[in-house]
Amino acid sequence: MSEGLPKEHRMPQPGEMPDRPHLLQRIRYSIFPGTLRREKVREGYRRLFNSLILHFRPRNVQEETLRWSLTWGLGGMAVVLVFLLLGTGLLLKFVYQPFPDKAYESILHLQNEVLFGRLFRNIHHWSANALIIVAFLHLLRVFFTGAFHAPRQFNWVIGSGLFLLVLFSNFTGYLLPWDQLAFWAITICTGMLEYMPGIGLWLQALIQGGPEVGPGTLSNFYAIHTAILPVSLLILMPFHFWRIRKVGGLVIPRPPGQGSGGHGQTVPAIPNLLLREIVVALVFIAFMLVFSMLFNAPLGSKANPGLSPNPTKAPWYFMGIQEMLLHFHPIFALFVIPALMLVALFALPYVDYQVNTAGIWFASMKGRQMTFIAALAALIGTPLAIVADEYLIEVAARLPAIPTWITNGLLPFAVLLAALAVFYIFMQRKYAATNTEAVQMVFVLFLVAFVMLTVTGIWFRGTGMKLGWPWAGGA
Ligand code: HEM
Ligand code: HEM
């Protein structure tokens, strides 16, 4: 009513700048010019916010893909962890000094004298370790829902690339505190490179920045850790999300036996997807924060290149490989088997599958049974093989005149392949499986075996890497 009157004769409108605004109002109006009505302003911002979000997120999503039991929120949690790491990592850089005579002291200074320094280090440490587990669980969910089948093959490849970046980020970060644990774990790992045929020694010198782990290694690792790997992650992640949008979203869950033809209902991503993402992110951040307040990141005594701890162990995520080293010739443990595992990971989506099982947990009912049996076989078989190798094949290895690359290399490898072949043929006869189910079975077999090797290496190896019970004082 009073809008047409001169300003001094009418009531100020909502959102309109008053005649004598105080400081805060003047600042606010300088950012959001206040001649619009408040509702209009709000509507404008809502639209702006939505269109900004919609640059990253799809406008509509399939309703079934919102189900918690499809993704378990794992991809989202991995994103949250990467951002926590980027944020805390940047803050750590203000205090950390990448020189052997200063690195350890800078961490002590960070922990004891810098406000919230210990907390930020804890968040960085626990987020880094959690990221390996979360990204790995996400890989498993993608694998077991068949989300690597066409048209998502390449996103599996990008995801595998992301996983390697996460592992390398952890590995390069591991050295930075420059304590005994860090120094000797990295020494063990870079030492393993010697066995790589052809380029091993050259690669080792390149990574170490010299003949042994020292100042060159620390500055190499620091540069790779705080620049090259974060930038690579930031490039690869949007590519990963873009691929999801290009194929029209996530796999649509369906029960075993149901075809993939039907398309369900779509719902707007705002608020349906966005709200779920925000809830997962907030709950997860709260969890990481509380965890980091309760548990401190470990820090041993300062690195002493002259005194190695016993046992000297690699970082926990490489313990499976270190454990293999105890059973196979180094060429097999450090090169042939890991290389085959990597090739299999990247090649997995490009096998010529008989059936596309995208969206079906464990491919089929038969697939579920086979997965269960394979997991059980590896769960029982691996510890048995480790114990047998420790006490029986060791004897054979001591026999004269047979080179160790046969007794420790070719022989166990051949035994392993033979056992695998027998298991495979038995299962094929019993289940007459499709190659989709068979690949899943072999994947589970190797996966569980590798997890068992890792568990053995972490908890069941004591002084001199001898096998023993962790709670018996021997490990
Ligand atoms: C830093 C590591 C990673 C991040 C931040 C990440 C993030 C995400 C997110 C947010 C999604 C969508 C939501 C979800 O599925 O939970 C997704 C989907 C996907 N991810 Fe990852 N991911 C990572 C690692 C991996 C790995 C290791 C693989 C497999 C080797 C992988 C393969 C895929 C595939 C194929 C999809 C599409 C799934 C579908 O269509 O249902 N990602 N990822
Ligand atoms: C995926 C990303 C990342 C992972 C997995 C990761 C992992 C790690 C790990 C495991 C440590 C050793 C922590 C400890 O036990 O003390 C570490 C330390 C460190 N990281 Fe990262 N980091 C990541 C990103 C970053 C970024 C982006 C920066 C900086 C731009 C950064 C800077 C640092 C610094 C300065 C340290 C030494 C301080 C310390 O060890 O507490 N990190 N990182």
Side-chain angles (χ1 to χ4, degrees):
M1 282 273 290
S2 62
E3 267 168 50
L5 295 171
K7 203 174 174 189
E8 56 276 22
H9 298 303
R10 60 177 169 83
M11 296 284 288
Q13 295 297 304
E16 193 178 54
M17 168 115 80
D19 280 342
R20 299 191 57 117
H22 57 70
L23 179 65
L24 282 182
Q25 279 175 325
R26 270 184 284 140
I27 294 174
R28 199 184 127 208
Y29 284 110
S30 77
I31 304 169
F32 309 120
T35 46
L36 287 173
R37 283 173 185 276
R38 230 172 240 171
E39 310 85 75
K40 278 195 188 158
V41 175
R42 277 209 202 106
E43 177 57 22
Y45 289 137
R46 204 180 61 80
R47 284 218 194 116
L48 186 72
F49 175 74
N50 283 2
S51 62
L52 190 75
I53 293 289
L54 289 173
H55 272 89
F56 303 104
R57 319 301 296 116
R59 181 167 287 279
N60 294 304
V61 286
Q62 292 280 338
E63 197 173 13
E64 290 112 309
T65 61
L66 294 174
R67 262 189 234 164
W68 177 245
S69 59
L70 174 67
T71 64
W72 304 97
L74 290 164
M77 289 185 209
V79 176
V80 168
L81 286 171
V82 169
F83 282 103
L84 277 180
L85 282 159
L86 292 172
T88 48
L90 277 177
L91 292 174
L92 293 176
K93 259 172 93 83
F94 281 92
V95 177
Y96 178 75
Q97 303 202 39
F99 312 101
D101 51 342
K102 295 196 182 130
Y104 184 75
E105 283 75 12
S106 71
I107 299 271
L108 287 181
H109 172 67
L110 172 85
Q111 296 199 147
N112 301 330
E113 279 144 71
V114 177
L115 187 66
F116 294 125
R118 187 185 287 272
L119 180 65
F120 284 128
R121 173 162 186 253
N122 290 352
I123 298 178
H124 198 78
H125 176 91
W126 294 122
S127 300
N129 287 282
L131 183 56
I132 299 183
I133 297 169
V134 168
F136 183 66
L137 291 177
H138 169 63
L139 179 152
L140 292 187
R141 106 82 185 138
V142 167
F143 178 78
F144 288 122
T145 54
F148 58 87
H149 283 289
R152 295 180 175 79
Q153 297 107 317
F154 194 59
N155 217 13
W156 173 272
V157 174
I158 300 173
S160 305
L162 281 171
F163 193 63
L164 291 187
L165 287 181
V166 168
L167 280 183
F168 287 140
S169 299
N170 265 283
F171 180 63
T172 47
Y174 206 98
L175 181 68
L176 302 185
W178 204 252
D179 59 351
Q180 275 289 73
L181 201 66
F183 182 87
W184 286 102
I186 303 302
T187 302
I188 276 264
C189 290
T190 52
M192 290 177 184
L193 287 172
E194 273 172 31
Y195 295 99
M196 199 182 265
I199 54 165
L201 282 174
W202 172 81
L203 198 66
Q204 188 190 43
L206 183 78
I207 291 177
Q208 288 181 349
E212 64 224 5
V213 175
T217 325
L218 190 53
S219 75
N220 272 357
F221 274 40
Y222 182 65
I224 296 172
H225 184 79
T226 60
I228 294 179
L229 293 173
V231 170
S232 313
L233 269 175
L234 284 176
I235 293 173
L236 219 50
M237 269 172 42
F239 199 21
H240 194 52
F241 308 147
W242 175 71
R243 289 304 315 165
I244 300 175
R245 282 191 76 166
K246 284 304 273 185
V247 297
L250 302 183
V251 284
I252 300 176
R254 56 190 163 117
Q258 189 181 314
S260 60
H263 270 272
Q265 211 187 330
T266 57
V267 290
I270 304 174
N272 296 292
L273 174 61
L274 193 67
L275 210 63
R276 284 171 169 81
E277 289 175 333
I278 292 175
V279 169
V280 169
L282 289 182
V283 171
F284 192 56
I285 291 173
F287 172 78
M288 289 309 298
L289 193 64
V290 172
F291 193 90
S292 304
M293 282 156 80
L294 293 178
F295 301 99
N296 283 331
L299 186 69
S301 49
K302 187 175 171 170
N304 178 356
L307 178 77
S308 66
N310 190 355
T312 305
K313 292 189 178 183
W316 66 266
Y317 36 87
F318 288 148
M319 272 316 292
I321 295 180
Q322 198 183 351
E323 177 64 33
M324 277 199 293
L325 197 54
L326 297 171
H327 306 283
F328 298 101
H329 190 276
I331 294 270
F332 282 85
L334 303 174
F335 183 66
V336 177
I337 300 176
L340 286 178
M341 272 163 41
L342 263 186
V343 170
L345 181 73
F346 282 92
L348 182 104
Y350 297 104
V351 173
D352 189 8
Y353 291 103
Q354 288 161 344
V355 240
N356 182 328
T357 55
I360 307 173
W361 273 99
F362 301 106
S364 62
M365 290 313 281
K366 214 191 279 177
R368 286 180 190 187
Q369 286 174 22
M370 292 170 71
T371 303
F372 180 72
I373 295 174
L376 205 64
L379 203 68
I380 298 169
T382 318
L384 286 182
I386 292 173
V387 174
D389 190 42
E390 190 87 352
Y391 297 109
L392 298 177
I393 303 183
E394 276 292 296
V395 178
R398 271 188 237 117
L399 294 176
I402 310 175
T404 54
W405 70 268
I406 296 184
T407 53
N408 268 7
L410 218 51
L411 196 67
F413 195 60
V415 170
L416 195 77
L417 281 186
L420 187 69
V422 170
F423 182 75
Y424 186 83
I425 293 166
F426 167 77
M427 291 294 276
Q428 271 297 8
R429 290 239 170 106
K430 186 166 159 53
Y431 285 99
T434 60
N435 69 350
T436 317
E437 292 150 346
V439 166
Q440 179 174 268
M441 177 188 77
V442 174
F443 178 88
V444 171
L445 202 67
F446 278 109
L447 181 92
V448 177
F450 192 73
V451 171
M452 292 309 289
L453 287 172
T454 306
V455 167
T456 310
I458 297 176
W459 285 297
F460 294 90
R461 292 277 170 196
T463 318
M465 292 304 272
K466 282 245 170 334
L467 211 53
W469 294 105
W471 43 89

